[in-house]
Amino acid sequence: MKFLHTSDWHLGRAFHRVNLLGAQAAFVDHLVATVREREVDALLVAGDVYDRAVPPLAAVELYDRALHRLADLGVPTVMISGNHDSARRLGVGAGLIDRAGIHLRTDPAGCADPVLLADVHGQVAFYGLPYLEPALVKDQFGTDKVSHEAVLGAAMDRIRADLATRPPGTRSVVLAHAFVTGGLASDSERDIAVGGVEAVPASVFDGVDYAALGHLHGCQTIGERVRYSGSPLAYSFSEADHRKTMWLVELGAGGEIAAERIDTPVPRALGRLRGRLEDLLEDTAHTAHEDSWVEAVLTDPVRPDDPMARLATRFPHTLSLGFDPEGRAEEPGVSYAQRLKGRSDQEIAEDFVAHVRGGGRADDAERAVLQGAFDDVRVDDGLRETHR
């Protein structure tokens, strides 16, 4: 069986205020063409279909058109909700849409209810595991610990139990939205840490033939049977070196895996430039980025006059401008934005505690209070969304 593994469409998201809806529509065109031309048997979308719980109307319309085109092809689609999606909104009409071959899995209670597809070698069971917020589903899964590993492990136990009841030789695929140990993050993913811990071991997916993962935006292979497709478009400059792709996976009669990366359309290359303003404007080494979206960090000892306008004369698509003056005495090479970059809310809060104290770090008890507060806010946001 041949299936296409994608995730993290983030429909409705912008890139530094640049509207990406046209680029996302081009991706959908490419997706539909690939499904048709490569004679794909199933399409998998591993969460974060939208960029936020209440997406803009244009993003909803694009999603609607995509579903109609996929249904017209007669190719089954299995889709789960991610941590950016509203599971309830995405799942509206799932029962009716299911009849058109679009299988939405947004309710954790249905994680062990597979979509069953067949090829000449027998059945393949596709299990959809939507994003699981530990504090909201731990009672449902009967776990003592509030952690991603605990709830994902309990959900996978249900899946393995169901799989054991299937005819011998039934192959299995799981869609999940999580941060798996060994994965490399970028700046554009939302933090999902609980109690300071966000990652789960890849071994949680033992016993299935393939785990189609979403959440991390870089395409990567955690193991032969555990892979991230990554996002089809770059959503931060930290993804400048990413090759944006989808996985075309062939599942053999005995569960053998053959995977091929299918490139997705690139609306515009990304360039990350650093140096003095005059050097950036004159150095021929930067010629390749004259039509790129550019992030520039200026190192001039004194901030130049009108730097953005001057950069735009050579790099008209400059979107981000930062300053890191050479020879700065205070924390050389580290701007405020850079100090925050890649740091969790918890770490930023702890730094604030140290700052207002004049250097004294938060102790263990205070760190626990801060982490509890962040966990409570995230859970409260989930509850508010659930009860809207």
Side-chain angles (χ1 to χ4, degrees):
M1 181 168 290
K2 187 187 298 182
F3 55 86
L4 194 62
H5 166 198
T6 77
S7 73
D8 294 273
W9 295 2
H10 288 278
L11 299 181
R13 186 163 187 160
F15 184 81
H16 288 265
R17 300 177 302 282
V18 174
N19 190 318
L20 290 180
L21 199 66
Q24 291 172 333
F27 161 68
V28 170
D29 290 342
H30 175 72
L31 174 75
V32 172
T34 301
V35 168
R36 181 178 60 250
E37 293 165 8
R38 299 302 294 265
E39 299 181 334
V40 171
D41 298 308
L43 171 67
L44 313 183
V45 186
D48 282 354
V49 178
Y50 292 121
D51 189 56
R52 56 182 186 264
V54 184
L57 180 59
V60 177
E61 291 172 340
L62 177 57
Y63 168 74
D64 181 63
R65 292 196 300 272
L67 292 192
H68 277 84
R69 295 173 68 183
L70 292 167
D72 288 344
L73 290 176
V75 175
T77 296
V78 185
M79 182 180 294
I80 63 172
S81 50
N83 61 304
H84 279 249
D85 297 310
S86 164
R88 292 190 67 192
R89 285 187 174 88
L90 190 65
V92 168
L96 288 173
I97 296 173
D98 191 80
R99 300 176 190 176
I102 307 294
H103 308 284
L104 299 175
R105 293 295 186 263
T106 63
D107 184 355
C111 67
D113 179 19
V115 176
L116 296 174
L117 304 178
D119 61 11
V120 294
H121 303 297
Q123 284 192 337
V124 180
F126 290 86
Y127 297 92
L129 259 178
Y131 171 69
L132 303 176
E133 176 58 56
L136 297 181
V137 301
K138 79 175 189 69
D139 292 337
Q140 183 176 346
F141 286 102
T143 62
D144 295 327
K145 295 180 64 178
V146 182
S147 72
H148 289 287
E149 183 175 356
V151 296
L152 269 174
M156 284 301 302
D157 286 343
R158 291 187 183 186
I159 288 171
R160 283 185 285 262
D162 178 83
L163 188 58
T165 68
R166 303 288 166 183
T170 298
R171 290 156 291 162
S172 55
V173 176
V174 168
L175 289 77
H177 198 86
F179 193 154
V180 174
T181 302
L184 299 177
S186 62
D187 292 343
S188 54
E189 297 118 5
R190 182 182 295 165
D191 180 27
I192 59 172
V194 173
V197 179
E198 60 184 350
V200 300
S203 59
V204 76
F205 300 107
D206 285 353
V208 298
D209 293 304
Y210 186 81
L213 301 182
H215 179 57
L216 299 184
H217 289 180
C219 180
Q220 46 201 299
T221 300
I222 305 300
E224 181 189 15
R225 300 182 183 279
V226 181
R227 299 171 188 258
Y228 283 98
S229 66
S231 60
L233 298 172
Y235 292 118
S236 72
F237 278 104
S238 67
E239 300 166 60
D241 295 329
H242 286 191
R243 175 188 165 198
K244 294 300 184 180
T245 60
M246 307 175 285
W247 283 114
L248 182 64
V249 180
E250 292 195 47
L251 184 61
E256 305 89 353
I257 296 292
E260 174 189 353
R261 291 179 71 177
I262 306 293
D263 291 294
T264 56
V266 178
R268 194 179 296 278
L270 305 184
R272 309 185 84 176
L273 308 182
R274 180 184 180 86
R276 295 191 176 200
L277 178 58
E278 292 303 326
D279 293 337
L280 297 185
L281 293 175
E282 297 174 4
D283 193 339
T284 58
H286 303 312
T287 300
H289 290 303
E290 289 179 350
D291 195 43
S292 300
W293 280 322
V294 166
E295 174 190 68
V297 176
L298 301 184
T299 61
D300 302 70
V302 177
R303 184 177 299 222
D305 292 333
D306 209 7
M308 183 64 101
R310 292 168 66 185
L311 276 171
T313 61
R314 184 180 186 188
F315 308 104
H317 304 289
T318 301
L319 300 180
S320 176
L321 178 61
F323 297 92
D324 184 14
E326 297 169 357
R328 182 168 55 182
E330 182 181 350
E331 296 187 63
V334 182
S335 68
Y336 178 72
Q338 289 171 320
R339 288 199 300 272
L340 298 186
K341 191 174 184 179
R343 299 181 69 76
S344 67
D345 292 340
Q346 172 83 12
E347 291 169 324
I348 294 170
E350 291 178 16
D351 287 347
F352 177 74
V353 170
H355 172 72
V356 297
R357 280 184 176 161
R361 307 293 299 178
D363 59 27
D364 290 345
E366 291 166 333
R367 283 195 293 270
V369 169
L370 289 171
Q371 185 62 61
F374 285 120
D375 289 349
D376 288 346
V377 168
R378 187 180 56 255
V379 171
D380 184 63
D381 286 345
L383 287 171
R384 288 175 184 271
E385 179 58 41
T386 300
H387 291 95
R388 279 180 182 174

